Each structure stands twice: as C-alpha cells, then as structure tokens.
Amino acid sequence: KIASASPDNCVWQPIGDPTSRSVDPNLLLLPSVWTSVSDLVQIDPRPVDSGNSFSGVDTITDSFFTTTTYSGAFGTDMWLDGWSYLSENGLVPSADVKPTLSNTIASSITTNVTLNAETTYYMTQQVFVKAPAILTIEAGTTIKSYRQDANGKAPTLVIEQGAKIIAEGTKALPITFTSVLPASLLPIRGAWGGLIILGRAPITTSSASITDDIEGLAAGLGTYGGTDPNDNSGSLKYVRVWYGGADIGFDTSNPENSGNEINGITFGGVGQGTTLENIEVAFNKDDGFEFFGGSVNAKWLSALFVDDDAFDTDEGYNGKLQFLFALVDQDGDHAAEMDSKNDASPRSFPIVSGATFIKSDHRSGRSNGLIQIREGGGGEFYNMVLTGKAGAGLENNDCAMETRTSDISLAGTAPDYLFWHPNNIVNTITSGAGTLNQFKIASSAPDNCIWANGPTSRSVDPNLILLPNTWTTYSNLNQIDPRPVSGGNALDASLAIGSSNSFFSSAAYSGAFGTDLWIDGWSWLSVNGLLPSGDVKPTTSTTLSSSITSNLTLFAGGTYYMTQQVFVKSPAVLTIEPGVIVKSYRQDASGKAPTLVIEQGAKIIAAGTVDDPITFTSVLPDSVLPKRGTWGGLIILGRGILSGTGSPQTNNIEGLDAGLGLYGGSDDTESSGILRYVRVWYGGADISPDPNNPENSGNEINGITFGGVGSGTTLENVEVAFNKDDGFEFFGGSVNGKWLSSLFVDDDAFDSDEGYQGKLQFIFALVDQDGDHAAEMDSKNDDQRRSFPKVSGATFIKSGHSSGRDNGLIQIREGGGGEFYNMILTGKAGAGLENNNCFTETRTSTLTSIGTAPNYLYWSSNNIINTVRADTGVANQFKIASASPDNCVWQPIGDPTSRSVDPNLLLLPSVWTSVSDLVQIDPRPVDSGNSFSGVDTITDSFFTTTTYSGAFGTDMWLDGWSYLSENGLVPSADVKPTLSNTIASSITTNVTLNAETTYYMTQQVFVKAPAILTIEAGTTIKSYRQDANGKAPTLVIEQGAKIIAEGTKALPITFTSVLPASLLPIRGAWGGLIILGRAPITT
C-alpha cells in the first residue's frame, strides 16, 4: 500500500512498487480464523522444515546481526518458550518440539509405515491410515500432537476400515500419545484430539444402515460398522493416550463446546480379532474409552481423570472386558456409561469381570451413579468394586424389554438381560451426608427399570491398601494403592466369581487388582509418583500394626511396610536386624504420613552394619526418587530434661494426637535404644495435614526427631537424606551422636532446641540450594535449662541458596549456648556463622572468657570458615546481630574469630546446585592441607581425638551405606590420595610410577616434552570423575613427551575409576588417555 502521490511522495526506485516474494511462509501453525487471544487456541510461528521461509534468505554484513538460514523471527528455536505470555498460557509448543519433514506424520497414510522409537513424531493435522495400510509403532515411541491444525480441527489418528495399527509397547517401553505443550503446563485436558479405530464388526444404528460415521469427521472418513464380528484392526499393547479430547470438527460459533470433543480412544465397530491390552487414557476432555458397537475384547485398561465417562459403550457393543480401572475426579461423570438403542438389535451386551471404579467426589450436576446402564442395555457384571463418593454405585434408567436381575437363573437368553452379580462390592457414599447409597434404580414410568431380582451386592469396604478419604482431583491426590489389603473383603477368593469363557483370566479377587499392580512403571500415576512400586506387596505379616505393645523383631533381609502411623508402646522393644528395609506410604486414608514413633519407656534396637544398613524409605519406584516428603519419619521420645518452667517439663510432638507424642522428664541418662548404620531417606511428609493447606500445614516432620532422648541412647552412623523438613531434630535431652550425615534436606540439616545438651562429633551436612541451614541451634531464651550442644568435627557444605534463603550456614539464636570445635564451614551461603536473638549468655572465641556452662557460647578461633555469598562471591564469615533488640555482642567486643582459609577438601565442585548436578564429591581433606593444622583437643572422654578439623580425616566413613556412596557420588573408602600418590597436573621431568603404589588422578595431567612417564607393569591409576571445575581427569602425553607403559599378561597396567567395585562397570567415570604426536595429519 504505497502512497506515491503528493503529498506523501513515496516513490520507489526504479519507478514502481517494491517487490517481495508472494508465497505462503509455511509456518508450522497459523490458524486461519482467529480474532483475539480469546479464540486463539494455539500458534507456532516457526517455519515448516524446507518451506518457503528457508529459501531466499539475505545475509547482512553487519556484526550486530546473527546470520540465519531463514526469514522471519524464528528458525527451529522457539525462543518464546518458558517466559512469554504465549508459553505460560499454553499457546505455543515446548521448545523441544521440532517438527521436520521426516518426523511429521502425513495426513494420509496409504502404504505400510513404521514409526521407530528413536524418533519423536508429531501430528500437526488429522492423520488417516487408509486400507490396506498398516501403521506399525515401535515400543517406546512418543507421538506429540498440536492442539489444532490451521482450520481449527484437532489432530487425531484415524485407523480406517481395512487398515491396521500395530502399536505394541512394553511395560518398560510404552507407546505414548501426548501433547506438544511443555511439561510445566501438563496435565491438561483437551490439548489434542485422540485415537480413532474403525472396523467392520456389527453395530446398532437408528436406521437400516449397517454402518455409521464418527461425528465431527468429514463424510466417508469416519465410517464404521459391518457384518464381521472377527474383524481385525491390529493390536494395542502398553499404549498411553494422555491430555486429549479436543474438538475434531471445529464450530466457529462455539469452538470449545461444539459437541465434537473426541474420546481418548474411540472404537467404532471394532472386531474381536483386534488385541487390546494394557492401555491408558488420562486427562481426556470427553470419554476415556468409547466402544461404538463391535465385539472387541480388552484387558488391563486404565482411565484417569477424564472429564466425562471413563468407559462408554453403545450401539450394540458386545465385547468382553476384564481388569478395568477408573479413577474419576470431581469433574468427571461416570466410571462407566453403558447404553444401547433400546430394543434394537444387536442389544449392547458387554461382559465385564474385575473392575475397580473409584470416584473422589462430584461437583454440581454430576451426582450420578458410578456406573450408569440405560437405554435397554444388557450385559453381565462380575467381581466389581465400586467405591468413593458418588450419587450411587449402580444407576439404571431408561429401560426397555431386557430382563434385569441378580439371579442368573432368571436371566433368560443373551443378550436380552442385564445381570449384576450379588458378590459385587458397592461401597459408594453420597458426597454431602456421607450416606451409603448402592443403587439408584428408576423403577417407575417412563423408565420402568423393574428388577426381577435385586439388584443386590456386598455392602462392605473393599479394604484397598490406600484410598484417601478426602481428595477431589489429581492435584490433591498424594498417593493411592487400589490393590486390596491382604485378607480384606476384595481379596476373598471364596466370593470371587470365575468364568467358563476362555477369554477371562482366573482371578481370586474382586476388582481390577490382586497383588499385581499392573499399572506400575507405565501409568500416569506411576510416572508422577502417585503409586507405589510394583514390587511393593504388603501382607499381614509384613505390614506394621499401628500399635506395638510387646517385643517385636523385624528379621534380617526382610522388607516391611508402614501404611499408617506406628506407635511402639512402653515397655515394648522393637528390634530391627541388619539389612532390614522399611518402606512407607505417603499417607494413610486420613492423609496422615506413616511415621514410626518410639514412645517414652519403649525402645528401638536398630543396629545395622556398614554392609547391611537398616533403611527407612519410600514405597515409590526408583524412577521417581530421590524425592522429599514421600512419607513421615522416625520419632524417638524419652524422659530427658527440657527447658521450661515445668517440674519436670514435658511437651508433645506437634501433629501427633495428645498423649501419643509426649516427651520430656527428669532422666537425662535414659536409654531409648540404639540406632547404628540406619538410613532415613525421602521423608518429611505431613503427619497431621490441614485439609485447607495439606502440603504446608506446619506439621511436616523431621527425618529423625529426638524428643527428650537421654544419653544412654546410642546414635552412630545414621543418615537422613532428602527430608522435606529438618534432617535431625533434637528437642531437649542429652543424646550424643557420632558419624551423622544429613543430605539435601529442605530445611535445616541439624536442629536443636528446648535445652538440648548432647555431644556431637563427625557430623556432615550437604545443603543444596533448597535447604536452609546446616545447623539451626535454638534455646528458649533464659528459660530454665539453656540449650548447650557440644560439637567437634563438623563438615558443613552449601551449594548456594534460592531466593530468601541466604542465611548463615550455622544459625545460633534465642539464647543458645554451646561449644564448637574443629568445624569446617564452606560453600556458598549468606555467612558461615549467624548469631541473633541473644540473651544473657556469654559469647566468645576466647576460652578465658567463657564463664560457667551452660551460660556461654564458645566458638573456637581454630574453626575454618570459607563461605562466600552466592550472589557476589564475597567471603562472609559472620553475620552477627549485635545491635538491639538482638544484642549479640561477643567478648571481647567484636565478632567471633575463625580461620579464613580454604579447607583443602579432596573434591568440592565449585559449581553445583542440587543432587541433579552434583557429579562427585570427596569431603575429606587433602594430605597436609589446612584442615590438618590448628586442631583443637577436647578434654571429654566422649570425643575421639583427631589430627584434623571437620567430619573426615582419611577415613571415608560414608562408603558402602550412604546415599552418596550407593549413587556413585563419593569414592570408595580404599581410595586414599596423598601427596606422594597423587599425580601432579604438570610433569616436566622423567617420572616413574611403581607397581607397589596405587596412584590417583584428581585433575587433568599433562606430560610435557621432553619428559618420559614410565609406568611399571601391574600399576593401577584411579581417577576421580571430575576436578573442582567440572573437568574430567585425563592423562595427556604432549608432543615430544613419551609414555612407557609396558605391562604384561600377568601384570597389566590399569587406568580405572575411584568408584567402589559394587558400582562398576559404569561408563563415564573419568576422562581418558590422550597421546599427541608429530606425524602428518589431514586437516
């Protein structure tokens, strides 16, 4: 639009209009109709691979401009991803979505095509597989779909009549249909279309035609039905269809509710020659599985959180279904809606055996039955479990001439009856009043659903392992285990009904599950940590009871389970033998995290060994661990002395019912037992959640809580890892501890309060960016007994800090006293030592000024503090609140003192944030480094005399049992680098490595010309994974230098890793060997 005339005078040279290419830019997704953000469903402004935007590209000779191979603002990089309004609101795909010509599925497939697992494929439009083509999808393949095409139609895969799909995944390698949206915006319903399979099996129609069409597809593209009940449309095994249900037939006047929202998987007239096993639909906007007629059979189907019906049958469907699982949230309607066409033939007649249908609740207008059978529907229903909050269990309305009965002898001839077995379990309650309501039968006109007998069922709790009492949708469902409890009502083999039909597997239980959790490893629930691992199989003998009143032993090699809070009562002793594993669920049915509580007067004897530690952990699969807050923790309660005015002073653990968490008294020497080589991993969940704030009620529990525990208790070689609250919490008492490790907790690694006066030596804290302090040590001001921990030999390391957590690595406050010797504080923190909210205690780094215990805080000037601020990198040893109202003035006047030196640890990465990017660490000090000087000697028989500061000398006491050791993050204990056996970074003169010594590479080693490195036969060189800067140790023989490494068959020379043998073989555990010469090369 060029204004060339006066007064604009926009005349272009040579005379005429400007020129450009009048072509479609071929953008990946540009809707043809949209007006504003309100009707813009999705856009992808990047150009199609090899499209017009990738030709005719100008190159600009100006250094500011980045050279590109495309026109427009975008190439393959979606640079809006993650920060743009469009990205945050789901209007553009994730940046890792990169459609090309080779990975975008064509709209019409007319010949056999295979999708291989190495490629992620994309549907940008509706895809039709035409007869006789076969679409084969390899195990492990992922297909991602856009929300719509340019015409507003949701991409959908349609297998037409006569075509086939062979999609056979495995449990380990399922096939996944999902959305192009980023993971941060998922789950969401209606993010693409779905999967439609069309066959030639008989259907019932409302006309004389034997076929019908899928609503929303163009005429002829969605035809299904015919005369062949054995028709074969292929095979689906271990297939997941997530986040679908968008509109496949766009209505511009009503784009979000045109009636053409598609089911997760639609089976139109599909015959029984088709195989359906282990399939899941999750978060679909319409139904999950829809069967329009046909006779296809299926086993192991899961439908989760769909917006309408989990399973829907209609139009004469007469297949067999076994092991169906439906989890229906408050937005969903029925677990199953089973219709027919009244008395038209064929009548719908599904035979269903083994279903577990659960509903959380229902929002307004959706108080229907969990199963609804209507419009003359028949069928047989066996081994059903219906539970949760619904308007009823079974709803039956709009009946026709079929017989309805719970007595099979009255049924008549199939398909003209509806049989509901009386052994089915229906335990549904209404949402508001909580009243049991099994049936909702419309027996009066015009529905006329009069039953010849029944319906009847068992009105009992199915006794599922974990079914939370209160949840509404996935976001507040912490965990579920839909399998029946050992010995429970659903696992009563005498009431499970078998079948003479060969299709049905024998099952000695009601519901979809026995002991096999068949959705483990591939279901959305499993991938997102809402299910236990499939190898978790609680039985009556392996599940700890809620109250232990007599002595009990958990035997070596056994795995035990906590499904609820467990209280060991006085005078019972719980003995846990070496090697025992105790796995816990996230919560019980009431939402309380399972926790082991050793009450006052009871004892725990948990004496593991380095080879057979005792482990408290989660029931979750390894694939979703590590994770904080997956169960409660361990609480030990004694009669030790607390601060306060009581005589004796007592308190109660917050979150436990009154009397169940009582601790405190007057016996500071009492024994609550032994913890030795004990690991407490992944705990810290809420032991008494607030329904209005279930994830942050303030009752998240510590890994191990010691409430008033006395010094008679033994605490050695104990670790807490990945706890959601503190690691170790000492409330009063005087229990002592050695060799304690606290890793990656979400609050404080060690916490003491309420007058704790124990002794601690060799304590190690690895605090990532999410954690707060390595130690928070409080008192209760000047209120009676002052907290007075005595600590020697601690190594506290922090990676950095997230927003709002730039506190001291140690914080001592509220009048806390104590003595601190041989400390190493290093890493990135707001300060090393923080001291605030002080009272009348003396604070000093001078022994002559300490006064009388416990009314002083002594910080040895030999302690090493090498902390720097994460934001500025500036060293910051102390953060002392000396002004009013804190009044933390130290004597003599000034800050405490310490050594501001590098502790010289063997391996401390300079940059890491959490366990995910911590490759390796060795917190032991370098031979003859700063940690081996300025060591305090303590005249107290509890403390072992050392020649080093920190938690470690040459002994890697974490080896073999710590999380760090099991996951290859620390070297083997026999790795002992010294000055003489560690290879220098630069070798400039001849050096010989002799076979009697094991050598170590802790950094990259360069042999310079003309030096010769001779390595004797039988020599071993072990290397770390990286140096402090993240570079892998590597031996480099430079030009002009030589290596003479002549082993023998009997005495080979070995370059290997510092990792323990138990973790080998493994790739990538160190760098390698590089030899550089002067022979000719081609460049």
Side-chain angles (χ1 to χ4, degrees), residues 70 82 98 294 394 411 445 587 665 694 728 745 760 771 910 915 1010 1024 1058:
Y70 54 86
K98 295 183 184 292
L394 169 64
Q587 62 173 53
F728 295 82
V745 304
L760 302 172
S910 56
V915 69
Y1024 281 73
V1058 295

Side-chain angles (χ1 to χ4, degrees), residues 273-288:
T274 308
T275 300
L276 304 180
E277 295 179 356
N278 294 101
I279 307 170
E280 178 169 278
V281 175
F283 295 96
N284 207 71
K285 193 171 182 180
D286 197 33
D287 297 334

Side-chain angles (χ1 to χ4, degrees), residues 695-1008:
E695 284 303 297
N696 193 26
S697 69
N699 293 323
E700 301 84 14
I701 197 63
N702 311 295
I704 310 179
T705 303
F706 300 92
V709 176
S711 61
T713 307
T714 299
L715 182 60
E716 295 177 352
N717 293 98
V718 182
E719 178 170 277
V720 176
F722 298 98
N723 207 71
K724 193 170 183 182
D725 199 31
D726 297 335
F728 295 82
E729 174 79 66
F730 299 92
F731 289 127
S734 57
V735 63
N736 305 317
K738 282 185 177 178
W739 304 291
L740 308 184
S741 166
S742 185
L743 310 174
F744 313 116
V745 304
D746 203 38
D747 198 356
D748 306 318
F750 297 90
D751 197 316
S752 62
D753 201 352
E754 298 186 21
Y756 172 66
Q757 293 189 358
K759 300 161 190 169
L760 302 172
Q761 189 176 25
F762 311 129
I763 59 176
F764 176 52
L766 202 52
V767 187
D768 68 10
Q769 65 178 0
D770 299 324
D772 202 355
H773 309 94
E776 181 179 83
M777 295 182 158
D778 303 338
S779 193
K780 294 299 180 189
N781 309 324
D782 290 328
D783 189 7
Q784 298 296 318
R785 171 160 150 147
R786 188 185 305 277
S787 293
F788 193 81
K790 202 169 184 179
V791 182
S792 178
T795 298
F796 291 164
I797 300 171
K798 197 168 191 329
S799 68
H801 43 76
S802 54
S803 177
R805 286 208 158 174
D806 60 341
N807 303 315
L809 198 45
I810 294 183
Q811 182 181 47
I812 304 173
R813 61 180 186 175
E814 297 177 358
E819 297 177 6
F820 296 85
Y821 304 90
N822 301 322
M823 310 290 288
I824 293 177
L825 279 60
T826 189
K828 298 174 182 175
L833 170 63
E834 181 176 5
N835 184 211
N836 54 14
N837 195 17
C838 295
F839 283 80
T840 61
E841 74 284 356
T842 300
R843 294 160 296 282
T844 184
S845 288
T846 305
L847 277 171
T848 56
S849 305
I850 60 176
T852 305
N855 294 318
Y856 62 84
L857 168 59
Y858 172 70
W859 182 265
S860 172
S861 58
N862 285 333
N863 293 335
I864 295 175
I865 301 183
N866 189 45
T867 50
V868 299
R869 289 191 58 86
D871 49 359
T872 64
V874 175
N876 192 20
Q877 289 187 296
F878 301 108
K879 188 177 181 180
I880 308 299
S882 55
S884 181
D886 293 275
N887 300 314
C888 297
V889 178
W890 282 63
Q891 301 298 330
I893 302 300
D895 283 349
T897 58
S898 66
R899 290 191 291 156
S900 177
V901 295
D902 187 329
N904 304 133
L905 305 185
L906 276 167
L907 176 56
L908 178 59
S910 56
V911 179
W912 67 284
T913 58
S914 69
V915 69
S916 62
D917 60 3
L918 179 66
V919 176
Q920 198 169 65
I921 189 170
D922 191 337
R924 297 175 297 176
V926 168
D927 183 26
S928 301
N930 288 318
S931 296
F932 280 105
S933 64
V935 180
D936 291 314
T937 300
I938 306 162
T939 55
D940 184 312
S941 61
F942 169 79
F943 292 99
T944 303
T945 300
T946 72
T947 59
Y948 54 86
S949 294
F952 302 92
T954 59
D955 178 26
M956 173 57 77
W957 50 261
L958 299 170
D959 177 57
W961 66 280
S962 166
Y963 175 91
L964 295 174
S965 180
E966 285 214 348
N967 289 275
L969 299 179
V970 292
S972 174
D974 62 0
V975 170
K976 296 183 184 293
T978 65
L979 291 178
S980 62
N981 65 20
T982 300
I983 304 174
S985 62
S986 181
I987 297 175
T988 58
T989 60
N990 294 350
V991 169
T992 297
L993 306 185
N994 62 72
E996 290 73 30
T997 302
T998 297
Y999 293 89
Y1000 300 99
M1001 287 202 298
T1002 60
Q1003 57 197 323
Q1004 292 179 352
V1005 175
F1006 295 86
V1007 182
K1008 307 283 186 178

Side-chain angles (χ1 to χ4, degrees), residues 452-768:
N453 174 274
T456 58
S457 65
R458 289 192 287 159
S459 175
V460 295
D461 187 329
N463 304 130
L464 305 185
I465 290 177
L466 176 57
L467 178 59
N469 295 333
T470 303
W471 67 284
T472 57
T473 186
Y474 75 93
S475 61
N476 61 3
L477 178 65
N478 289 321
Q479 197 170 66
I480 189 169
D481 191 338
R483 297 174 295 176
V485 168
S486 175
N489 288 317
L491 208 56
D492 189 338
S494 66
L495 297 175
I497 307 304
S499 173
S500 59
N501 190 289
S502 61
F503 169 78
F504 290 101
S505 302
S506 176
Y509 51 86
S510 296
F513 302 93
T515 58
D516 178 27
L517 189 57
W518 49 263
I519 49 179
D520 171 57
W522 63 280
S523 166
W524 189 92
L525 295 173
S526 181
V527 171
N528 287 276
L530 300 183
L531 285 178
S533 175
D535 61 1
V536 169
K537 297 182 185 293
T539 65
T540 302
S541 62
T542 61
T543 302
L544 301 185
S545 64
S546 62
S547 181
I548 297 174
T549 57
S550 58
N551 294 351
L552 177 67
T553 298
L554 307 186
F555 295 103
T559 298
Y560 296 85
Y561 300 98
M562 289 202 296
T563 60
Q564 58 196 325
Q565 292 178 353
V566 174
F567 296 86
V568 182
K569 306 284 187 179
S570 176
V573 177
L574 174 63
T575 300
I576 306 178
E577 293 187 344
V580 165
I581 297 173
V582 182
K583 293 187 175 184
S584 291
Y585 281 74
R586 168 64 178 77
Q587 62 173 53
D588 62 13
S590 301
K592 296 180 178 181
T595 297
L596 177 60
V597 183
I598 312 299
E599 294 190 5
Q600 289 181 315
K603 286 186 179 180
I604 180 171
I605 306 296
T609 67
V610 66
D611 295 321
D612 290 302
I614 293 163
T615 308
F616 291 85
T617 185
S618 166
V619 295
L620 289 178
D622 290 341
S623 59
V624 297
L625 297 173
K627 185 177 184 180
R628 299 180 178 111
T630 69
W631 63 287
L634 174 58
I635 299 174
I636 303 177
L637 307 173
R639 296 191 178 97
I641 301 171
L642 312 180
S643 58
T645 57
S647 184
Q649 180 71 26
T650 61
N651 206 346
N652 208 82
I653 297 295
E654 189 174 7
L656 293 181
D657 292 342
L660 293 179
L662 185 68
Y663 64 95
S666 57
D667 186 358
D668 248 7
T669 62
E670 182 190 38
S671 173
S672 294
I674 299 172
L675 296 185
R676 183 180 291 126
Y677 286 105
V678 171
R679 312 184 294 192
V680 178
W681 293 350
Y682 317 129
D686 227 310
I687 59 172
S688 184
D690 179 348
N692 299 317
N693 195 12
E695 284 303 297
N696 193 26
S697 69
N699 293 323
E700 301 84 14
I701 197 63
N702 311 295
I704 310 179
T705 303
F706 300 92
V709 176
S711 61
T713 307
T714 299
L715 182 60
E716 295 177 352
N717 293 98
V718 182
E719 178 170 277
V720 176
F722 298 98
N723 207 71
K724 193 170 183 182
D725 199 31
D726 297 335
F728 295 82
E729 174 79 66
F730 299 92
F731 289 127
S734 57
V735 63
N736 305 317
K738 282 185 177 178
W739 304 291
L740 308 184
S741 166
S742 185
L743 310 174
F744 313 116
V745 304
D746 203 38
D747 198 356
D748 306 318
F750 297 90
D751 197 316
S752 62
D753 201 352
E754 298 186 21
Y756 172 66
Q757 293 189 358
K759 300 161 190 169
L760 302 172
Q761 189 176 25
F762 311 129
I763 59 176
F764 176 52
L766 202 52
V767 187
D768 68 10

